[in-house]
Amino acid sequence: MRAALLEESGPIESSPLKLRDVPDPVPGEREVRVRVACCAICRTDLHIIEADLAPAKRPVIPGHQVIGAVDQLGRGCTRFKTGDRVGIAWLRHTCGQCRFCTSGRENLCPSSQYTGYHADGGFAEFAVVHEDFAYAIPKQFDDVHASPLLCAGIIGYRAMLRSGVRDGETLAIFGFGSSAHVIAQIAKRRRRCDLYVVSRSRSHQRLARELGAAWVGDDATKMPHPPQAAIVFAPAGEVVLPALACLDRGGAVALAGIHMSPIPSIDYDRYLFQERDIHPVTANTREDGRRLLDEASAAAVVPHVKTYGLGQANEALADLKHGRIDGTGVLVV
Ligand SMILES: [Zn+2]
Ligand SMILES: [Zn+2]
Protein backbone atom coordinates (compact mmCIF):
# COMPACT_ATOMS: atom_id res chain seq x y z
CA MET A 1 0.00 0.00 0.00
CA ARG A 2 1.00 3.64 -0.28
CA ALA A 3 1.77 5.48 2.93
CA ALA A 4 3.19 8.83 4.06
CA LEU A 5 6.00 7.42 6.18
CA LEU A 6 8.07 9.19 8.83
CA GLU A 7 11.56 7.67 8.85
CA GLU A 8 13.41 10.55 10.50
CA SER A 9 12.07 13.50 12.47
CA GLY A 10 12.60 16.97 11.13
CA PRO A 11 10.93 20.34 10.65
CA ILE A 12 7.86 19.95 8.46
CA GLU A 13 9.35 22.46 6.01
CA SER A 14 12.02 19.84 5.17
CA SER A 15 9.25 17.40 4.03
CA PRO A 16 10.07 14.57 6.47
CA LEU A 17 7.05 12.50 5.36
CA LYS A 18 7.96 10.32 2.36
CA LEU A 19 5.40 8.64 0.12
CA ARG A 20 6.46 4.98 0.14
CA ASP A 21 5.13 1.55 -0.81
CA VAL A 22 4.97 -0.59 2.32
CA PRO A 23 3.39 -4.01 2.99
CA ASP A 24 -0.36 -4.00 3.66
CA PRO A 25 -1.03 -4.45 7.40
CA VAL A 26 -2.53 -7.79 8.46
CA PRO A 27 -5.16 -7.65 11.23
CA GLY A 28 -4.18 -9.62 14.35
CA GLU A 29 -6.52 -11.26 16.82
CA ARG A 30 -9.63 -9.12 17.37
CA GLU A 31 -8.23 -6.42 15.09
CA VAL A 32 -10.08 -4.97 12.12
CA ARG A 33 -8.36 -3.71 8.99
CA VAL A 34 -9.75 -0.47 7.59
CA ARG A 35 -9.51 0.73 3.98
CA VAL A 36 -8.79 4.38 4.72
CA ALA A 37 -11.05 6.95 3.06
CA CYS A 38 -9.52 9.97 4.76
CA CYS A 39 -7.54 11.07 7.78
CA ALA A 40 -7.66 14.53 9.33
CA ILE A 41 -4.43 16.15 10.49
CA CYS A 42 -3.76 17.36 14.02
CA ARG A 43 -1.14 19.42 15.83
CA THR A 44 -0.05 16.22 17.60
CA ASP A 45 1.03 14.83 14.21
CA LEU A 46 3.32 17.86 13.95
CA HIS A 47 4.67 17.27 17.47
CA ILE A 48 5.46 13.65 16.50
CA ILE A 49 7.02 14.55 13.14
CA GLU A 50 9.12 17.36 14.60
CA ALA A 51 10.04 15.26 17.70
CA ASP A 52 8.50 17.61 20.28
CA LEU A 53 7.18 14.27 21.59
CA ALA A 54 9.89 11.67 22.23
CA PRO A 55 9.93 9.22 19.28
CA ALA A 56 8.09 5.97 20.11
CA LYS A 57 8.35 4.07 16.80
CA ARG A 58 10.44 4.63 13.67
CA PRO A 59 9.55 4.44 10.89
CA VAL A 60 5.96 5.29 11.70
CA ILE A 61 2.90 6.21 9.68
CA PRO A 62 1.29 9.17 11.51
CA GLY A 63 -2.41 10.05 11.50
CA HIS A 64 -5.04 9.38 14.17
CA GLN A 65 -8.36 10.64 12.79
CA VAL A 66 -9.03 7.80 10.40
CA ILE A 67 -12.33 7.14 8.63
CA GLY A 68 -12.77 4.10 6.42
CA ALA A 69 -14.56 0.84 5.81
CA VAL A 70 -13.67 -2.44 7.49
CA ASP A 71 -12.18 -4.64 4.77
CA GLN A 72 -10.70 -7.55 6.76
CA LEU A 73 -11.43 -9.09 10.15
CA GLY A 74 -8.83 -10.67 12.38
CA ARG A 75 -9.61 -13.86 14.31
CA GLY A 76 -12.28 -13.50 16.98
CA CYS A 77 -13.82 -10.21 15.79
CA THR A 78 -17.50 -9.78 16.68
CA ARG A 79 -18.24 -6.04 16.77
CA PHE A 80 -18.10 -5.14 13.09
CA LYS A 81 -18.53 -6.82 9.71
CA THR A 82 -16.70 -6.06 6.49
CA GLY A 83 -18.07 -2.93 4.83
CA ASP A 84 -18.97 -1.20 8.12
CA ARG A 85 -17.74 2.37 8.38
CA VAL A 86 -15.56 2.97 11.42
CA GLY A 87 -13.23 5.56 12.89
CA ILE A 88 -9.79 5.08 14.45
CA ALA A 89 -8.74 7.71 16.99
CA TRP A 90 -5.67 8.56 19.08
CA LEU A 91 -6.27 6.11 21.98
CA ARG A 92 -5.75 2.56 20.69
CA HIS A 93 -4.83 0.44 23.72
CA THR A 94 -5.23 0.44 27.49
CA CYS A 95 -4.52 -2.40 29.93
CA GLY A 96 -8.11 -2.65 31.22
CA GLN A 97 -6.87 -3.70 34.69
CA CYS A 98 -5.04 -0.85 36.39
CA ARG A 99 -6.64 1.49 38.95
CA PHE A 100 -7.26 4.07 36.23
CA CYS A 101 -8.82 1.66 33.73
CA THR A 102 -11.12 0.24 36.39
CA SER A 103 -12.31 3.65 37.61
CA GLY A 104 -13.40 5.27 34.34
CA ARG A 105 -10.05 7.02 33.81
CA GLU A 106 -8.44 4.91 31.11
CA ASN A 107 -6.96 8.09 29.62
CA LEU A 108 -4.43 7.91 32.49
CA CYS A 109 -3.56 4.20 32.00
CA PRO A 110 0.27 3.90 32.22
CA SER A 111 0.16 1.27 29.45
CA SER A 112 -1.92 3.32 27.01
CA GLN A 113 -0.86 3.38 23.37
CA TYR A 114 -1.64 5.85 20.64
CA THR A 115 -2.35 5.66 16.92
CA GLY A 116 0.24 7.15 14.61
CA TYR A 117 2.72 7.22 17.49
CA HIS A 118 3.18 3.76 19.06
CA ALA A 119 1.55 2.07 16.06
CA ASP A 120 1.00 2.99 12.43
CA GLY A 121 -1.86 5.37 11.72
CA GLY A 122 -3.99 6.63 8.89
CA PHE A 123 -1.73 8.51 6.47
CA ALA A 124 -1.95 5.34 4.35
CA GLU A 125 -4.32 3.22 2.31
CA PHE A 126 -4.94 0.75 5.17
CA ALA A 127 -4.78 0.82 8.96
CA VAL A 128 -5.56 -1.72 11.69
CA VAL A 129 -7.04 -1.31 15.15
CA HIS A 130 -8.42 -3.54 17.92
CA GLU A 131 -12.19 -3.69 17.42
CA ASP A 132 -12.79 -2.40 20.97
CA PHE A 133 -11.03 0.85 20.07
CA ALA A 134 -12.84 1.48 16.79
CA TYR A 135 -15.82 3.85 16.71
CA ALA A 136 -19.07 3.48 14.81
CA ILE A 137 -19.61 6.74 12.90
CA PRO A 138 -23.02 8.48 12.83
CA LYS A 139 -24.59 8.33 9.35
CA GLN A 140 -25.21 12.06 9.05
CA PHE A 141 -21.50 12.81 8.61
CA ASP A 142 -19.75 12.08 5.33
CA ASP A 143 -16.20 10.72 5.59
CA VAL A 144 -14.37 14.02 5.26
CA HIS A 145 -16.57 15.81 7.81
CA ALA A 146 -16.48 12.89 10.27
CA SER A 147 -12.70 12.65 10.48
CA PRO A 148 -12.06 15.91 12.41
CA LEU A 149 -14.39 14.65 15.13
CA LEU A 150 -12.01 11.84 16.03
CA CYS A 151 -9.35 13.98 17.72
CA ALA A 152 -10.22 17.66 17.31
CA GLY A 153 -13.73 16.80 18.44
CA ILE A 154 -12.95 14.26 21.16
CA ILE A 155 -10.11 16.22 22.81
CA GLY A 156 -12.09 19.45 22.53
CA TYR A 157 -15.01 17.70 24.19
CA ARG A 158 -12.88 16.44 27.07
CA ALA A 159 -11.42 19.95 27.43
CA MET A 160 -14.94 21.36 27.62
CA LEU A 161 -15.80 18.88 30.37
CA ARG A 162 -12.55 19.67 32.20
CA SER A 163 -13.29 23.40 32.04
CA GLY A 164 -16.34 22.68 34.18
CA VAL A 165 -18.52 25.01 32.10
CA ARG A 166 -22.22 24.66 32.93
CA ASP A 167 -25.25 25.19 30.72
CA GLY A 168 -25.80 28.84 29.87
CA GLU A 169 -22.42 30.05 31.18
CA THR A 170 -19.76 31.95 29.25
CA LEU A 171 -16.84 29.94 27.86
CA ALA A 172 -13.66 31.66 26.70
CA ILE A 173 -11.64 29.93 23.98
CA PHE A 174 -7.97 30.81 23.42
CA GLY A 175 -6.83 29.80 19.93
CA PHE A 176 -9.46 28.98 17.31
CA GLY A 177 -8.11 26.09 15.25
CA SER A 178 -9.44 22.65 14.45
CA SER A 179 -10.52 21.51 17.91
CA ALA A 180 -11.90 24.89 19.00
CA HIS A 181 -14.14 25.34 15.97
CA VAL A 182 -15.78 21.93 16.54
CA ILE A 183 -16.35 22.29 20.26
CA ALA A 184 -17.58 25.88 19.90
CA GLN A 185 -20.55 24.52 17.93
CA ILE A 186 -21.35 21.99 20.66
CA ALA A 187 -20.92 24.45 23.54
CA LYS A 188 -23.21 26.94 21.84
CA ARG A 189 -25.92 24.60 20.54
CA ARG A 190 -25.99 21.94 23.25
CA ARG A 191 -24.97 23.94 26.34
CA ARG A 192 -26.35 27.37 25.32
CA CYS A 193 -22.96 28.87 26.22
CA ASP A 194 -21.92 32.37 25.19
CA LEU A 195 -18.52 32.10 23.51
CA TYR A 196 -15.65 34.57 23.84
CA VAL A 197 -12.86 33.80 21.39
CA VAL A 198 -9.30 35.09 21.66
CA SER A 199 -7.19 34.71 18.54
CA ARG A 200 -4.66 36.84 16.70
CA SER A 201 -5.52 35.30 13.33
CA ARG A 202 -7.98 37.46 11.35
CA SER A 203 -9.34 34.44 9.46
CA HIS A 204 -9.78 32.42 12.66
CA GLN A 205 -11.58 35.42 14.17
CA ARG A 206 -13.85 35.54 11.12
CA LEU A 207 -14.70 31.83 11.49
CA ALA A 208 -15.46 32.36 15.20
CA ARG A 209 -17.90 35.15 14.32
CA GLU A 210 -19.54 32.99 11.65
CA LEU A 211 -20.05 30.29 14.27
CA GLY A 212 -21.84 32.74 16.55
CA ALA A 213 -19.21 33.83 19.10
CA ALA A 214 -20.60 36.61 21.31
CA TRP A 215 -17.23 38.38 21.48
CA VAL A 216 -14.07 37.95 19.39
CA GLY A 217 -10.76 39.73 19.84
CA ASP A 218 -7.02 39.45 20.39
CA ASP A 219 -6.89 40.96 23.90
CA ALA A 220 -8.57 39.00 26.71
CA THR A 221 -8.68 42.07 28.96
CA LYS A 222 -11.30 43.54 26.62
CA MET A 223 -13.92 40.83 27.26
CA PRO A 224 -17.28 42.35 28.23
CA HIS A 225 -17.69 40.11 31.32
CA PRO A 226 -15.48 37.57 33.13
CA PRO A 227 -16.22 34.10 31.69
CA GLN A 228 -16.90 31.20 34.07
CA ALA A 229 -14.60 28.81 32.19
CA ALA A 230 -11.88 28.85 29.57
CA ILE A 231 -10.07 26.45 27.28
CA VAL A 232 -6.55 27.09 26.00
CA PHE A 233 -6.03 25.37 22.66
CA ALA A 234 -2.94 27.39 21.69
CA PRO A 235 0.24 25.36 22.47
CA ALA A 236 1.78 28.45 24.08
CA GLY A 237 2.30 28.46 27.86
CA GLU A 238 2.22 32.26 28.06
CA VAL A 239 -1.47 32.17 27.06
CA VAL A 240 -2.33 30.45 30.37
CA LEU A 241 -1.85 33.71 32.32
CA PRO A 242 -4.36 35.89 30.44
CA ALA A 243 -6.74 32.90 30.44
CA LEU A 244 -6.56 32.70 34.26
CA ALA A 245 -6.69 36.47 34.67
CA CYS A 246 -9.89 36.86 32.65
CA LEU A 247 -11.85 34.27 34.65
CA ASP A 248 -14.66 34.85 37.06
CA ARG A 249 -14.07 33.71 40.65
CA GLY A 250 -14.14 29.93 40.94
CA GLY A 251 -13.52 29.45 37.22
CA ALA A 252 -11.19 26.96 35.61
CA VAL A 253 -8.92 26.92 32.58
CA ALA A 254 -8.65 23.62 30.72
CA LEU A 255 -5.40 23.09 28.79
CA ALA A 256 -6.19 21.03 25.71
CA GLY A 257 -2.74 20.52 24.17
CA ILE A 258 -0.58 17.42 24.39
CA HIS A 259 2.48 19.67 24.35
CA MET A 260 2.88 23.25 25.52
CA SER A 261 5.77 25.66 25.83
CA PRO A 262 6.64 26.46 29.48
CA ILE A 263 4.07 28.38 31.52
CA PRO A 264 5.60 31.56 33.02
CA SER A 265 5.64 31.84 36.82
CA ILE A 266 2.18 32.42 38.22
CA ASP A 267 1.54 35.13 40.79
CA TYR A 268 -0.78 33.48 43.31
CA ASP A 269 -2.76 36.57 44.34
CA ARG A 270 -3.37 37.74 40.82
CA TYR A 271 -4.02 34.47 38.97
CA LEU A 272 -5.09 31.70 41.36
CA PHE A 273 -6.65 33.24 44.47
CA GLN A 274 -10.49 33.21 44.41
CA GLU A 275 -10.20 29.53 43.52
CA ARG A 276 -9.28 29.91 39.90
CA ASP A 277 -7.95 26.58 38.73
CA ILE A 278 -5.94 24.90 35.97
CA HIS A 279 -7.15 21.59 34.55
CA PRO A 280 -4.83 19.89 32.04
CA VAL A 281 -6.28 17.37 29.59
CA THR A 282 -4.56 14.06 28.95
CA ALA A 283 -5.90 12.06 26.01
CA ASN A 284 -9.45 10.76 26.41
CA THR A 285 -11.51 7.77 27.36
CA ARG A 286 -13.54 5.80 24.82
CA GLU A 287 -16.61 7.04 26.67
CA ASP A 288 -15.54 10.64 25.83
CA GLY A 289 -15.34 9.55 22.19
CA ARG A 290 -18.79 7.96 22.11
CA ARG A 291 -20.37 10.95 23.89
CA LEU A 292 -18.67 13.40 21.53
CA LEU A 293 -19.99 11.58 18.47
CA ASP A 294 -23.51 11.66 19.96
CA GLU A 295 -23.23 15.34 20.88
CA ALA A 296 -21.78 16.32 17.49
CA SER A 297 -24.66 14.50 15.86
CA ALA A 298 -27.28 16.19 18.04
CA ALA A 299 -25.66 19.61 17.53
CA ALA A 300 -25.46 19.05 13.74
CA VAL A 301 -21.80 20.06 13.88
CA VAL A 302 -20.32 21.00 10.52
CA PRO A 303 -16.51 21.00 10.63
CA HIS A 304 -14.89 23.40 8.17
CA VAL A 305 -12.43 21.33 6.18
CA LYS A 306 -9.64 21.87 3.70
CA THR A 307 -8.79 18.72 1.77
CA TYR A 308 -5.42 17.52 0.49
CA GLY A 309 -4.18 14.37 -1.24
CA LEU A 310 -2.03 11.83 0.63
CA GLY A 311 0.99 13.07 -1.34
CA GLN A 312 0.42 16.56 0.08
CA ALA A 313 0.79 15.50 3.73
CA ASN A 314 3.87 17.69 4.30
CA GLU A 315 2.17 20.69 2.71
CA ALA A 316 -1.00 20.17 4.77
CA LEU A 317 0.94 19.98 8.04
CA ALA A 318 3.02 23.03 7.11
CA ASP A 319 -0.25 24.90 6.48
CA LEU A 320 -1.44 23.82 9.95
CA LYS A 321 1.83 24.91 11.58
CA HIS A 322 1.66 28.34 10.00
CA GLY A 323 -2.04 28.97 10.69
CA ARG A 324 -3.10 28.76 7.05
CA ILE A 325 -6.05 26.41 7.65
CA ASP A 326 -9.46 27.61 8.87
CA GLY A 327 -11.00 24.60 10.59
CA THR A 328 -9.38 21.22 9.90
CA GLY A 329 -7.08 19.87 7.19
CA VAL A 330 -8.05 16.42 5.91
CA LEU A 331 -5.96 14.06 3.78
CA VAL A 332 -8.19 12.23 1.31
CA VAL A 333 -6.61 8.87 0.54
ZN1 LIG B 1 -4.81 0.56 32.53
ZN1 LIG C 1 -4.90 14.71 17.58
Side-chain angles (χ1 to χ4, degrees):
M1 67 170 182
R2 286 194 324 149
L5 195 66
L6 179 69
E7 290 163 338
E8 265 180 76
S9 311
I12 196 67
E13 295 79 5
S14 69
S15 296
L17 294 173
K18 310 289 183 201
L19 210 53
R20 299 269 193 254
D21 276 311
V22 299
D24 293 353
V26 178
E29 188 163 352
R30 296 205 57 212
E31 283 184 336
V32 296
R33 186 171 80 175
V34 175
R35 178 184 289 275
V36 179
C38 61
C39 186
I41 60 170
C42 168
R43 192 164 287 279
T44 301
D45 300 318
L46 262 181
H47 292 319
I48 291 167
I49 292 163
E50 299 193 329
D52 295 320
L53 297 180
K57 176 183 185 291
R58 289 289 185 272
V60 67
I61 302 169
H64 55 272
Q65 305 187 80
V66 187
I67 298 285
V70 172
D71 97 311
Q72 230 182 69
L73 299 172
R75 212 156 44 85
C77 283
T78 56
R79 258 192 90 198
F80 299 102
K81 55 186 192 308
T82 54
D84 285 353
R85 187 168 71 146
V86 299
I88 306 176
W90 176 238
L91 184 73
R92 67 180 294 111
H93 171 80
T94 54
C95 78
Q97 289 162 5
C98 70
R99 65 190 188 282
F100 302 106
C101 283
T102 53
S103 60
R105 297 178 294 163
E106 67 178 354
N107 61 307
L108 299 177
C109 175
S111 312
S112 58
Q113 290 189 1
Y114 301 105
T115 307
Y117 185 48
H118 297 108
D120 287 334
F123 295 177
E125 290 175 305
F126 294 98
V128 297
V129 69
H130 192 287
E131 62 173 355
D132 288 346
F133 286 82
Y135 293 91
I137 302 299
K139 283 198 177 58
Q140 75 187 76
F141 299 104
D142 64 25
D143 294 340
V144 165
H145 291 89
S147 64
L149 302 176
L150 289 168
C151 182
I154 294 174
I155 298 298
Y157 183 68
R158 187 168 181 90
M160 186 181 78
L161 298 181
R162 293 279 289 156
S163 79
V165 73
R166 298 189 189 93
D167 288 4
E169 290 187 336
T170 301
L171 174 67
I173 295 177
F174 289 76
F176 205 73
S178 174
S179 200
H181 95 288
V182 171
I183 211 60
Q185 298 179 51
I186 291 175
K188 189 167 167 56
R189 294 174 199 162
R190 297 288 292 164
R191 302 293 183 91
R192 295 175 288 103
C193 290
D194 274 342
L195 303 174
Y196 292 174
V197 172
V198 183
S199 170
R200 280 182 305 209
S201 155
R202 295 286 161 227
S203 63
H204 289 184
Q205 289 186 357
R206 201 178 317 121
L207 180 57
R209 278 192 205 95
E210 274 171 36
L211 293 174
W215 177 88
V216 178
D218 56 10
D219 179 355
T221 64
K222 305 260 168 66
M223 288 177 185
H225 301 286
Q228 283 81 35
I231 306 174
V232 172
F233 286 106
E238 67 270 15
V239 176
V240 177
L241 299 193
L244 278 169
C246 80
L247 280 183
D248 197 5
R249 298 171 168 221
V253 178
L255 309 181
I258 191 170
H259 171 81
M260 186 179 253
S261 58
I263 300 174
S265 72
I266 297 176
D267 180 84
Y268 179 76
D269 293 340
R270 181 165 172 208
Y271 294 110
L272 293 175
F273 194 64
Q274 305 295 358
E275 301 199 343
R276 294 184 185 92
D277 216 340
I278 300 177
H279 295 167
V281 173
T282 297
N284 63 277
T285 65
R286 281 169 281 176
E287 180 62 15
D288 293 330
R290 288 186 285 265
R291 285 173 66 187
L292 175 275
L293 290 169
D294 287 349
E295 290 278 320
S297 215
V301 165
V302 181
H304 288 234
V305 297
K306 182 173 180 184
T307 57
Y308 300 83
L310 184 59
Q312 294 172 291
N314 290 301
E315 181 188 333
L317 284 152
D319 283 353
L320 170 64
K321 182 175 177 179
H322 297 292
R324 293 190 289 255
I325 298 175
D326 293 331
T328 311
V330 181
L331 304 184
V332 177
V333 177

Coordinates of all heavy atoms in Angstrom, one line a residue, residues 41-45 64-65 90 150-152 155, ligand 2:
I41 N -5.7 15.9 9.9 CA -4.4 16.2 10.5 C -4.6 16.9 11.8 O -5.7 17.5 12.0 CB -3.5 16.9 9.6 CG1 -4.1 18.3 9.2 CG2 -3.2 16.1 8.3 CD1 -3.1 19.2 8.4
C42 N -3.6 16.8 12.7 CA -3.8 17.4 14.0 C -2.4 17.9 14.4 O -1.4 17.5 14.0 CB -4.2 16.2 14.9 SG -4.0 16.5 16.7
R43 N -2.4 18.9 15.4 CA -1.1 19.4 15.8 C -0.2 18.3 16.5 O 1.0 18.4 16.4 CB -1.4 20.5 16.8 CG -0.2 21.4 17.2 CD -0.6 22.7 17.9 NE -1.2 23.6 16.9 CZ -0.6 24.4 16.1 NH1 0.8 24.4 16.1 NH2 -1.2 25.2 15.3
T44 N -0.9 17.3 17.0 CA -0.1 16.2 17.6 C 0.8 15.5 16.5 O 1.9 15.1 16.8 CB -1.0 15.2 18.3 OG1 -1.7 15.9 19.3 CG2 -0.2 14.1 19.0
D45 N 0.2 15.4 15.3 CA 1.0 14.8 14.2 C 2.3 15.7 14.0 O 3.4 15.1 13.8 CB 0.2 14.8 12.9 CG -1.0 14.0 13.0 OD1 -1.0 12.9 13.6 OD2 -2.1 14.4 12.5
H64 N -4.2 10.0 13.2 CA -5.0 9.4 14.2 C -6.5 9.9 14.1 O -7.1 9.9 15.2 CB -4.4 9.6 15.6 CG -4.2 11.0 15.9 ND1 -3.0 11.7 15.6 CD2 -5.0 11.9 16.5 CE1 -3.1 12.9 16.0 NE2 -4.3 13.1 16.6
Q65 N -6.9 10.3 12.9 CA -8.4 10.6 12.8 C -8.8 10.0 11.5 O -9.1 10.6 10.5 CB -8.5 12.2 12.7 CG -7.9 12.9 13.9 CD -8.2 14.4 14.0 OE1 -9.3 14.8 14.4 NE2 -7.3 15.2 13.5
W90 N -7.0 8.5 18.5 CA -5.7 8.6 19.1 C -5.5 7.4 20.1 O -4.5 6.6 20.0 CB -5.6 9.9 19.8 CG -4.4 10.2 20.6 CD1 -4.3 10.6 21.9 CD2 -3.0 10.3 20.1 NE1 -3.1 10.9 22.3 CE2 -2.2 10.7 21.3 CE3 -2.3 10.1 18.9 CZ2 -0.8 10.9 21.2 CZ3 -0.9 10.2 18.9 CH2 -0.2 10.6 20.0
L150 N -12.7 12.9 15.3 CA -12.0 11.8 16.0 C -10.9 12.3 16.9 O -10.5 11.5 17.9 CB -11.5 10.8 15.0 CG -12.7 10.0 14.4 CD1 -12.2 9.2 13.2 CD2 -13.3 9.1 15.5
C151 N -10.3 13.5 16.7 CA -9.3 14.0 17.7 C -9.7 15.4 18.1 O -10.0 15.7 19.2 CB -7.9 13.9 17.3 SG -6.8 14.5 18.5
A152 N -9.8 16.3 17.1 CA -10.2 17.7 17.3 C -11.5 17.7 18.1 O -11.6 18.4 19.1 CB -10.4 18.4 16.0
I155 N -10.9 15.5 21.8 CA -10.1 16.2 22.8 C -10.8 17.5 23.2 O -10.7 17.9 24.4 CB -8.7 16.4 22.3 CG1 -8.0 15.1 22.0 CG2 -7.8 17.3 23.2 CD1 -7.8 14.2 23.2
Ligands
ZN2 ZN -4.9 14.7 17.6

